Amino acid sequence: MLAGFRSFAKSPFAILLFGLLIVSFAIFGISDVFKGPRGSGVISAGSRTMSPQDFKLRFDNYRKEVERRNGEPLTPDQAVERGIDRQIVQELVLQESIAAAITKMGVVPSDKLIAKIVHEQMSQLPPGQRPFDSITGKFDPKLYAALLAQNNLTPQSYEASLRDEIAQTHFFSAVAAGLKAPRVYAALQAAYGLEMRDVAAFAVNPASVERPAPPTDAQLTAFMKENAERLTRPETRVLSIMRVSATALEPTITPNPADVQKAFNFRKDSLAKPETRSLIQIVAPDAKTAATISQRLAKGEDPATVAKAFGKSPVALVDKPKSALPDRKVADTAFGLAAGQVSGPITGELGVSVIKVTKVTPGVAATLDSVRPQIEAEVRAQAAQSKAYDQTQAYQDAHDAGADLVAAASKAGAMVVTTAPITAQGADQMGQPVAGLTPEMVKTAFGLPQGGESDLIEAGKGEYYAVKVEKVVPAAMPPLAEIKPQLTAVWLGQEMGKRLKAKADALAARVKKGESLEAVAASAQSNVQRVPGLSRQNAQQHMGLGQEFLGAAFSAKPNEVFTARAGQQGEAFVVAKMEAIRAAPTADVARITVLTQTQAASGLMRDLGEASRYAAKAQLKSKSNLTLARQAIGVDTDALAKAEAGKAGKKAE
């Protein structure tokens, strides 16, 4: 079964089949691994309940990926504003539903299969990261748990996700193996894509339309009201930010030679390179056999040959210090031999064995000169952290005594930066991220009133900040005088567009009444252009005609007259006529049907896979709690509800 799973997973068909699932698994994971009381989670699907902690972990993974891809922070409040939180919840509901449904069917991988795949996956990690004992080569559960902990996982959660992934892969593999898409399915797609349309059209000449007069202030004011939501500038705030940074202080510090010497003396032993041994160890069943092994090794026989004679394999230990050898008696013996020497039988803590030392590397004592840059950097960093702490204490004392943020920072010798107006997204008025601002700083600032100051906040080792809101600029539309030129240009463009559209409709009406397309075009000082053989397959070659024009052309009926915007920016209006619709050549349909048979089957399988997720959701009556999800990621849902109620009230007015 495992071999079949591997073969299918490597096939091109499987790549297409699971494409939909892989994307979502990569960001959100699969299984519900943090169990909670039934009905108390963010998502409930069958026997599964996703806890707020698990949802937060998955949201954080998604947020990190978005921040890495876009190069700008994504706060929980921004995620709510953009509807991202709702999308994540909906996707996770579908994932949990299909996983629960498949489990309910009895498709559950055995513990033995899970253990085997875990071992295989761990074996593929780079050397040094594999959770296997360096001496025995056996799987080490403690190293395995530590490795997963680095990625906020536990063995239970990781194996639960793996179990779901394998179950779903096996399930959909079986479905795919038994599914054969009818050839007509591909044939219909081919016929649809190759259907050819002959279109004739002419553009409305702007010279044939009277240009609108410049708008009055009253017209522009009305236009502003119509587009108030788009024109309203968000609330911005001017901030004073006090920062204390150990990292920024490091270049200003000259290490005290006495401190450098003291730090070196303290770390001297750990900085020295200990003596190491490279050796070959052969484990023996008893002392008598060990003596024979020792004699043969001493004669110069190959260790692998000697070990094989007794059904054993030699273990090579390369450049190991004494402390790295697990058996104390073996270590004592190894570090008492010279290079090339062979020990007698060693009855150690882990059994009887014989060793041969192949290399001796003398230890090297550390000198201050050899590690001075490293020691000085450590001393400088410690001094900077100490100085940063002293500055925060001085700031806090001055602030507690009544000084405001700026005055307290001045007494402490800390730097203060006053920003230009920023939005709740940490961007300036041009929409660009403001350097030096973190999402936490912005969130702190937008939780304060005008003139309010935050407490001193620790942002990391040796990093501190405090925020003061100097000014709050409420959300408002800009004054007309400030944007009049730009607004006038937009108004004129839209007004001209309306006139061109009206002209196009009038010209199209003449064609519909029986005038020829050429005659009507000539009367409008334009020329007819023809696009023969337009098909959905070659539409990419005609993108210059514009999306609206192509959409109208593919929905038009034979001899139908229509108008549409044309051009990549929709800058022109055209009057067009669908002169003919021709079925695709039979030979071409047959050829494309054969070429796309596999692709059509894959498309059908993707459709079935997506439909199965929604069917599982309906069958299990899966539920989600958006409010709990938002609370889990740190959103103030009470404040959000009030804000949404306020917006609804304004719209009602």
Side-chain angles (χ1 to χ4, degrees):
M1 181 171 67
L2 183 59
F5 164 68
R6 286 178 183 151
S7 299
F8 181 82
K10 293 178 181 178
S11 68
F13 185 72
I15 294 173
L16 291 171
L17 172 62
F18 300 119
L20 178 68
L21 298 175
I22 290 172
V23 171
S24 57
F25 291 169
I27 296 176
F28 302 115
I30 304 170
S31 67
D32 171 27
V33 296
F34 295 96
K35 299 293 182 180
R38 183 69 183 271
S40 66
V42 173
I43 294 170
S44 297
S47 61
R48 294 168 174 261
T49 301
M50 180 180 290
S51 72
Q53 295 91 338
D54 189 20
F55 178 79
K56 183 179 185 304
L57 177 63
R58 300 186 189 205
F59 173 83
D60 287 343
N61 288 340
Y62 176 84
R63 180 172 66 174
K64 290 175 184 175
E65 174 60 21
V66 170
E67 291 177 343
R68 183 195 66 78
R69 189 169 60 245
N70 297 341
E72 61 180 31
L74 175 69
T75 67
D77 290 331
Q78 289 172 330
V80 171
E81 183 180 341
R82 301 173 190 176
I84 294 174
D85 62 324
R86 192 183 300 273
Q87 295 172 17
I88 294 176
V89 169
Q90 291 173 349
E91 173 61 26
L92 289 174
V93 168
L94 295 175
Q95 286 187 22
E96 292 297 298
S97 297
I98 189 63
I102 290 175
T103 299
K104 188 176 180 181
M105 294 177 194
V107 183
V108 181
S110 68
D111 292 341
K112 184 177 180 181
L113 177 61
I114 295 298
K116 185 171 183 178
I117 292 180
V118 166
H119 278 64
E120 289 182 354
Q121 290 183 340
M122 295 300 110
S123 299
Q124 295 172 8
L125 293 174
Q129 296 182 21
R130 300 170 186 167
F132 295 95
D133 188 276
S134 60
I135 304 300
T136 64
K138 293 183 178 180
F139 182 80
D140 190 328
K142 292 183 178 179
L143 293 176
Y144 171 57
L147 176 65
L148 294 176
Q150 295 174 12
N151 296 283
N152 297 321
L153 294 170
T154 65
Q156 293 76 21
S157 66
Y158 175 71
E159 290 167 17
S161 291
L162 187 61
R163 181 172 279 104
D164 276 354
E165 184 176 359
I166 294 171
Q168 292 183 48
T169 302
H170 276 244
F171 175 80
F172 285 109
S173 297
V175 174
L179 175 70
K180 183 176 177 60
R183 180 166 292 188
V184 70
Y185 187 79
L188 287 172
Q189 292 187 37
Y192 180 74
L194 294 173
E195 177 189 72
M196 291 180 290
R197 293 169 174 251
D198 297 337
V199 186
F202 68 86
V204 177
N205 190 335
S208 67
V209 177
E210 182 181 358
R211 300 191 69 81
T216 64
D217 286 357
Q219 287 175 311
L220 289 178
T221 300
F223 186 62
M224 288 181 68
K225 290 181 179 179
E226 292 172 6
N227 296 275
E229 187 172 345
R230 294 171 57 191
L231 291 172
T232 297
R233 292 172 176 171
E235 176 187 310
T236 58
R237 298 188 171 207
V238 177
L239 312 178
S240 286
I241 302 174
M242 187 284 298
R243 296 193 68 177
V244 174
S245 170
T247 302
L249 289 170
E250 282 188 33
T252 69
I253 293 174
T254 301
N256 186 323
D259 292 337
V260 173
Q261 185 65 53
K262 183 178 179 180
F264 171 73
N265 292 339
F266 180 76
R267 294 198 53 200
K268 183 176 180 179
D269 291 341
S270 63
L271 293 170
K273 292 183 179 179
E275 179 180 334
T276 62
R277 293 283 197 277
S278 293
L279 55 98
I280 294 176
Q281 181 180 22
I282 300 176
V283 177
D286 51 54
K288 184 177 180 181
T289 304
T292 303
I293 292 173
S294 176
Q295 291 171 4
R296 294 181 62 176
L297 290 178
K299 292 178 180 179
E301 290 191 49
D302 177 57
T305 302
V306 174
K308 186 176 181 180
F310 297 95
K312 302 291 183 181
S313 297
V315 177
L317 303 174
V318 181
D319 295 329
K320 299 293 183 182
K322 189 173 183 179
S323 60
L325 298 179
D327 192 313
R328 181 177 56 82
K329 292 185 178 181
V330 171
D332 290 341
T333 302
F335 278 77
L337 297 174
Q341 286 189 308
V342 177
S343 74
I346 304 171
T347 304
E349 299 166 353
L350 301 178
V352 180
S353 64
V354 175
I355 62 172
K356 178 178 181 178
V357 176
T358 58
K359 186 175 73 170
V360 174
T361 304
V364 178
T367 64
L368 179 56
D369 288 340
S370 66
V371 294
R372 184 179 294 277
Q374 176 184 347
I375 297 297
E376 287 184 347
E378 293 174 359
V379 171
R380 188 181 294 109
Q382 291 173 359
Q385 290 176 20
S386 178
K387 186 175 181 179
Y389 179 76
D390 291 342
Q391 283 187 333
T392 61
Q393 290 298 104
Y395 170 84
Q396 193 66 59
D397 291 343
H399 198 261
D400 291 345
D404 67 4
L405 180 144
V406 176
S410 179
K411 290 183 179 180
M415 58 182 177
V416 176
V417 175
T418 299
T419 70
I422 65 165
T423 67
Q425 287 72 44
D428 60 21
Q429 292 179 316
M430 301 300 293
Q432 299 300 313
V434 177
L437 282 182
T438 65
E440 291 73 20
M441 289 180 182
V442 175
K443 185 174 182 179
T444 299
F446 275 78
L448 297 170
Q450 181 166 306
E453 298 183 8
S454 72
D455 294 330
L456 186 65
I457 299 172
E458 184 175 1
K461 192 173 182 180
E463 305 292 323
Y464 307 84
Y465 72 89
V467 178
K468 178 180 180 180
V469 179
E470 299 288 357
K471 183 180 180 181
V472 175
V473 182
M477 285 197 297
L480 174 59
E482 185 178 331
I483 61 171
K484 187 173 182 178
Q486 299 91 329
L487 199 64
T488 298
V490 174
W491 188 92
L492 288 171
Q494 291 193 6
E495 188 64 23
M496 188 63 179
K498 292 177 183 177
R499 296 186 181 195
L500 287 170
K501 177 68 166 61
K503 181 73 172 180
D505 289 341
L507 295 172
R510 291 171 56 186
V511 178
K512 291 177 182 178
K513 289 180 180 179
E515 291 188 59
S516 71
L517 195 68
E518 286 76 6
V520 174
S523 71
Q525 304 170 36
S526 187
N527 297 311
V528 175
Q529 303 290 330
R530 284 182 164 78
V531 183
L534 177 65
S535 70
R536 292 174 178 83
Q537 188 180 52
N538 65 24
Q540 192 68 30
Q541 302 170 21
H542 300 281
M543 290 304 294
L545 296 173
Q547 290 280 7
E548 184 176 323
F549 177 84
L550 290 173
F554 285 121
S555 61
K557 298 176 182 178
N559 296 315
E560 181 179 347
V561 178
F562 60 92
T563 63
R565 284 183 178 272
Q568 292 185 341
Q569 304 299 324
E571 62 272 13
F573 277 89
V574 298
V575 177
K577 183 177 181 179
M578 181 59 60
E579 295 188 322
I581 298 178
R582 293 175 283 122
T586 304
D588 290 346
V589 172
R591 177 175 55 83
I592 297 298
T593 297
V594 173
L595 292 175
T596 62
Q597 183 71 23
T598 300
Q599 182 180 348
S602 299
L604 178 60
M605 189 62 214
R606 279 196 300 271
D607 292 343
L608 289 174
E610 184 66 5
S612 68
R613 302 202 307 163
Y614 282 95
K617 176 186 174 183
Q619 183 184 45
L620 297 175
K621 298 180 180 179
S622 302
K623 298 178 180 179
S624 62
N625 188 328
L626 185 61
T627 299
L628 187 59
R630 289 172 171 173
Q631 292 172 350
I633 61 177
V635 174
D636 187 339
T637 51
D638 292 335
L640 180 63
K642 291 179 182 177
E644 290 178 345
K647 290 180 181 178
K650 288 182 180 180
K651 288 183 179 179
E653 294 174 2

